[in-house]
Structures are given as structure tokens and as C-alpha cells.
């Protein structure tokens, strides 16, 4: 198959040459601006670490045990400073120091905890993050949801789903529209700061949820239907919370989380007011030919290998054999089901999950809404998030407030949209688009 990114599939990105190239060409800029995966980070902390990593001359395929080592001394020093600030009553300073330490532990375990030291880093990442997050205004706290729908006779049975929640500090309200943030392949719930800050500033409660095969998610990673059970348990719990405004629950999945967002929009349509799938894969992400090339493109490390581990495969070759048949939302019929309101957003030059997956999703099931941003890469930010944060309030305005409803019903699946899409199935890139589906 020929993908829209064209000749880029044959071009090896410079950052794959060495750890020095990764820092110089990609990550130093992200660390300086605090964008994924450097949320809550301080550039000077990472300069110190990467100076050591560069001195070690690490090159792919990386030894992640060696890679993780230099992060620990810097993070531990910050934790000591945070503890001292906390003891002196300087809680704002302590919060920032703990979060800086958490950011270091996050990158130490990145992209997924594979080595023993990376697994330790993940545990320390959680501990430092919650110590810092408790002093935010409003705070982030952890809750544990019973996995009521876990599959009997498996590790899901009697398991729990750890989530983070953050509620607006508005003392005049007792319930809020609620956003379920679905994290992805390498972004876990300890990256909740920017998304939750944006949500609570708009008067929305928010929940951080991880997906099968990542972090602490108990859902079976190699079972294509495990996310359905996962979200049944999560939504059961959400609907019991007094602070959730009934009928105003929206899911927002990013990257690999977008894959699960598309799925839940079709499997639980009457329980969600709407869903945002940003940078989602659905079908072509599992193409053997895509898996052959994606690891030398935009992703910081070996993407295909990380995806194989996440979906429960021992290696990429095993994943190439049957992952599309088992996990494709097209081949398992999910895309042809009715869905709730679903917004698809991405950059057309996505080298993580091809834009063809979003275009394909438009050709099936209910009418959907979309915005594809020409020339932008995976997820289309920063423009994409701005558009999404305009779409969600408009969606919520179409739903009666809780005071005007019984307060007990599930969200009603809304299919009505102000526009239609006529897609040329032979060449979906020549789709005839009209609002609200835009390529602009």
C-alpha cells in the first residue's frame, strides 16, 4: 500500500542514529518547552542526564538498563530537596521539585518499562508524581476502580483499575461535565498535568485511564475484547460518582489511546455524550508493511517493537502475522457499528499511525466529524488541541443540564451532525468533504 506520507516512509529520521542525535534533533526542544513526554520537566535537569548518556555513546538498539541509570541520581537529589521544602512548609516549591523528579523517572522508563531499572523508575515515577500532585490547586488524587467485568479465570478477575482524578475547585458546584482521558502507548497517568489543568480551568472534572498492555492497566493485553470489559467497569464506576454530571461524559483518547477511543465510541455509544480520537490508528497501523517502516520514522525509539510488546507479542515478526486480523477495528466489525458523536483529529503527515486510518473510519458506521491538519505530524498539535477544546463545549451545550433531567440515565447517543461526508472508497484521499468534516 502507498501511504499519504509518500517518500517519507523510506527516509530514516536522524534521531535514530544515537542518543546524542535523539537529544540534539528532537528531545532537547521538547524538554525546553515541556511538551510530551517532558511534562513537568526542567530543561537543566535533563541537560545533566543527557550529558552523561552522550558520554556513554548509547546507540540503538538501546540497552535500556544502561539508559535508565543516569536519571536516578538527579531525580533522587530533587526528591531530597522536595522533602526538605515540604518539611519547611514550602509546599508549592516541594510540588514543583517532586514533579521534576517524576519527569526524570518518566523518561528513565520510556518508552515502556522493559529492563529491571526501568520498572523501578516507573514505580518511583508514580510515587514522586502523586507527592507533587497533592499540592496542586486543585489536587490530583488516585482512585482504585474494581474491575467488575474482568474475565473470570484470568488475571482480570478480582483486579482493580488505578486512575487519577482531578475536580474543579468551584465550590458553588457539586457535579461537573467529565472528561475521560485515555492515555496511549508511552503516555501514562503520570502525564496528567497539562490535560487536567486545561479541563479543570473550564469547569470539567477529568479522569486519567491507561490502556491494555501499558502501565498498571489490568486488562488482558492480548485479548482484543479486553478493552470492552475495561470500559464497562470504568463507566459503571463513573456513573456512580456524585460529582459527575449525568449525561455529560466525554472520552478523549490520544495516539494509541485514540485507537481505544474509536473502539469505545462504538462499543459503548449510549454511555458517552461524545468521543475524541486524536492521532488514532484503527486498521492500517497493523499493516505488516507499515510495521516494517514505522520504526525509523518519527517515533523516538523502535515503535514497532514497543507496539508488539504492548499487544502481547514476543516480537515484531509475530505481530505482523496476525495483529491486523485480531485487532483491526475494521476487520473485527467495530467500525460498522453505530457510534456516539465521534470527532477524529490528526495531522496528515502522521508517521506514527497513518492518516489513512482516520479516513477509513469515516467510510464506516455512523456519520462522524473530523479535522485533518495538512503537513502536521502525529496528533496535529498544537492546532489540534485548540480545535478539540472548541468542539467539546459545543457538544456539551447540546445536552440538557442535570438539573433539567432525571439525573440517572446514561448519556443519549447523538448521531445528528451539521453536515455529511461522501467518500470515494477507491481513493479516500479524494473524499468530498463538507462541514463538520474538514481538511483545511
Amino acid at each position: 500500500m502507498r501511504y499519504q506520507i509518500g517518500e517519507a516512509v523510506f527516509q530514516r529520521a536522524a534521531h535514530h542514529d544515537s542518543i546524542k542525535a535523539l537529544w540534539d534533533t528532537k528531545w532537547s526542544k521538547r524538554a525546553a518547552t515541556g511538551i510530551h513526554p517532558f511534562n513537568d520537566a526542567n530543561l537543566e535537569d535533563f541537560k545533566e542526564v543527557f550529558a552523561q548518556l552522550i558520554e556513554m555513546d548509547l546507540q540503538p538498539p538501546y540497552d535500556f538498563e544502561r539508559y535508565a541509570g543516569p536519571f536516578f541520581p538527579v531525580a533522587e537529589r530533587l526528591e531530597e530537596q522536595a522533602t526538605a521544602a515540604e518539611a519547611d512548609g514550602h509546599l508549592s516549591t516541594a510540588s514543583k521539585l517532586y514533579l521534576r523528579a517524576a519527569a526524570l523517572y518518566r523518561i528513565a522508563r520510556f518508552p515502556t518499562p522493559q529492563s529491571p531499572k526501568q520498572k523501578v523508575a516507573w514505580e518511583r515515577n508514580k510515587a514522586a508524581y502523586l507527592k507533587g500532585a497533592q499540592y496542586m490547586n486543585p489536587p490530583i488524587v488516585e482512585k482504585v476502580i474494581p474491575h467488575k467485568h474482568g474475565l473470570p479465570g484470568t488475571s482480570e478477575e478480582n483486579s482493580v483499575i488505578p486512575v487519577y482524578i482531578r475536580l474543579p475547585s468551584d465550590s458553588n458546584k457539586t457535579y461537573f461535565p467529565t472528561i475521560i482521558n485515555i492515555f496511549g502507548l508511552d503516555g501514562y497517568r503520570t502525564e496528567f498535568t497539562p490535560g487536567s489543568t486545561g479541563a479543570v480551568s473550564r469547569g470539567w472534572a477529568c479522569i486519567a485511564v491507561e490502556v491494555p498492555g501499558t502501565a498498571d492497566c489490568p486488562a488482558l493485553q492480548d485479548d482484543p475484547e479486553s478493552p470492552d470489559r475495561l470500559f464497562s467497569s470504568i463507566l459503571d464506576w463513573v456513573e456512580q460518582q456524585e460529582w459527575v454530571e449525568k449525561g455529560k461524559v466525554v472520552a478523549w483518547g490520544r495516539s494509541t489511546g485514540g485507537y481505544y477511543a474509536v473502539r469505545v465510541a462504538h462499543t459503548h455509544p449510549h454511555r458517552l455524550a461524545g468521543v475524541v480520537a486524536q492521532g488514532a490508528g484503527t486498521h492500517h497501523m497493523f499493516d505488516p508493511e507499515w510495521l516494517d517502516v514505522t520504526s525509523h520514522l518519527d517515533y523516538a525509539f523502535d515503535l514497532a517493537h514497543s507496539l508488539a510488546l504492548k499487544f502481547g507479542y514476543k516480537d515484531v515478526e509475530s505481530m505482523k502475522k496476525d495483529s491486523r486480523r485480531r485487532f483491526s477495528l475494521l476487520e473485527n466489525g467495530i467500525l460498522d457499528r453505530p457510534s456516539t458523536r465521534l470527532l477524529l483529529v490528526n495531522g496528515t503527515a502522521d508517521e506514527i499511525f497513518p492518516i489513512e486510518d482516520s479516513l477509513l473510519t469515516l467510510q464506516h458506521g455512523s456519520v462522524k466529524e473530523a479535522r485533518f491538519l495538512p503537513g502536521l505530524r502525529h496528533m496535529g498539535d498544537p492546532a489540534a488541541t485548540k480545535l478539540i477544546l472548541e468542539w467539546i463545549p459545543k457538544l456539551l451545550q447540546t445536552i440538557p443540564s442535570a438539573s433539567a433531567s432525571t439525573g440517572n440515565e446514561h448519556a443519549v447517543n447523538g448521531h445528528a451532525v451539521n453536515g455529511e461526508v461522501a467518500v470515494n472508497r477507491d481513493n479516500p484521499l479524494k473524499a468530498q468533504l463538507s462541514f463538520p468534516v474538514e481538511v483545511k
Side-chain angles (χ1 to χ4, degrees), residues 26-253:
K26 192 175 184 73
W27 269 10
S28 61
K29 299 172 186 176
R30 287 179 170 265
T33 53
I35 61 176
H36 174 78
F38 292 89
N39 312 75
D40 305 310
N42 180 288
L43 177 61
E44 297 306 313
D45 301 336
F46 284 93
K47 283 183 177 180
E48 181 177 348
V49 172
F50 275 87
Q52 296 180 59
L53 290 171
I54 291 168
E55 181 68 24
M56 294 162 63
D57 194 27
L58 295 184
Q59 298 182 15
Y62 291 107
D63 178 342
F64 283 107
E65 189 73 357
R66 293 187 68 213
Y67 161 82
F71 292 89
F72 280 72
V74 183
E76 289 166 351
R77 185 173 71 235
L78 289 169
E79 288 180 297
E80 291 175 0
Q81 295 172 7
T83 301
E86 195 173 25
D88 290 339
H90 303 307
L91 301 185
S92 177
T93 298
S95 177
K96 292 175 183 177
L97 290 166
Y98 278 129
L99 293 175
R100 283 168 59 185
L104 286 158
Y105 286 129
R106 178 187 307 120
I107 303 303
R109 65 88 186 150
F110 202 87
T112 60
Q114 299 175 47
S115 78
K117 195 163 288 185
Q118 283 192 306
K119 292 174 182 177
V120 173
W122 167 228
E123 295 303 319
R124 292 195 181 184
N125 173 223
K126 289 182 287 185
Y129 186 78
L130 282 178
K131 286 180 179 178
Q134 67 179 321
Y135 298 127
M136 292 179 180
N137 183 25
I140 292 172
V141 298
E142 183 170 52
K143 297 293 182 181
V144 176
I145 299 174
H147 194 359
K148 291 167 47 179
H149 297 273
L151 186 64
T154 73
S155 60
E156 289 186 352
E157 187 174 11
N158 299 320
S159 65
V160 295
I161 307 163
V163 301
Y164 290 169
I165 66 169
R166 196 175 188 189
L167 307 184
S169 54
D170 187 347
S171 60
N172 295 319
K173 291 192 66 176
T174 58
Y175 50 82
F176 312 93
T178 300
I179 310 298
I180 300 176
N181 291 268
I182 307 175
F183 284 85
L185 172 67
D186 54 48
Y188 300 167
R189 65 190 191 276
T190 55
E191 291 188 50
F192 198 32
T193 305
S196 65
T197 299
V200 296
S201 69
R202 291 168 172 80
W204 306 334
C206 49
I207 307 170
V209 174
E210 292 154 342
V211 298
T214 72
D216 294 325
C217 180
L220 297 174
Q221 64 190 115
D222 59 351
D223 181 351
E225 296 182 354
S226 73
D228 306 340
R229 300 188 294 271
L230 176 74
F231 282 104
S232 290
S233 294
I234 291 170
L235 290 169
D236 282 356
W237 181 85
V238 166
E239 289 161 2
Q240 294 170 0
Q241 305 311 301
E242 293 182 353
W243 46 266
V244 174
E245 185 167 1
K246 306 306 178 185
K248 293 192 176 183
V249 178
V250 177
W252 181 352

